[in-house]
Amino acid sequence: MNSRDKDLWNMAAENLSNSNQLPELDLHGLAVHVAVVELESFLNTQFMAGQEAVKVVCGIGTGKVLEVARKILKEYQQHGLVEGFTQTDFGGVFIVRLNEKD
């Protein structure tokens, strides 16, 4: 993604974070090991369904779930399932852009 597209994506992501238009996963209050399973299942399901983008709500709390979610999103990005993701100004929310399913 070039820098102009990235800037546009970040602006769109900020707007989408305030809407109910995206499938959303809320990881508030979950233990880290449970959050990992839930996030991976959610991302895989949404990718297979051909969803373009999703919202992942971690909250801030101790930061452990937020940290592991960021790590998983980076891994999924390296494996080609996630095109990119941005953390919103709210801190504990990610807007994730999924790659197109072949």
Side-chain angles (χ1 to χ4, degrees), residues 1 5 15 19 21 26 36-37 41 63 67-68 81 88 91:
M1 187 180 319
D5 288 344
N15 288 333
S19 77
Q21 296 176 3
D26 190 343
V36 167
V37 172
S41 175
E67 182 180 320
V68 77
L81 296 173
T88 68

Side-chain angles (χ1 to χ4, degrees), residues 17-70:
S17 70
N18 295 319
S19 77
N20 294 325
Q21 296 176 3
L22 294 178
E24 179 179 315
L25 176 66
D26 190 343
L27 300 173
H28 277 109
L30 297 180
V32 172
H33 69 280
V34 175
V36 167
V37 172
E38 292 292 320
L39 179 56
E40 289 178 342
S41 175
F42 177 72
L43 291 173
N44 290 331
T45 299
Q46 297 303 318
F47 174 79
M48 293 304 291
Q51 187 65 38
E52 183 179 336
V54 297
K55 185 188 314 186
V56 177
V57 181
C58 301
I60 298 174
T62 64
K64 291 179 182 178
V65 171
L66 185 68
E67 182 180 320
V68 77
R70 187 180 296 111

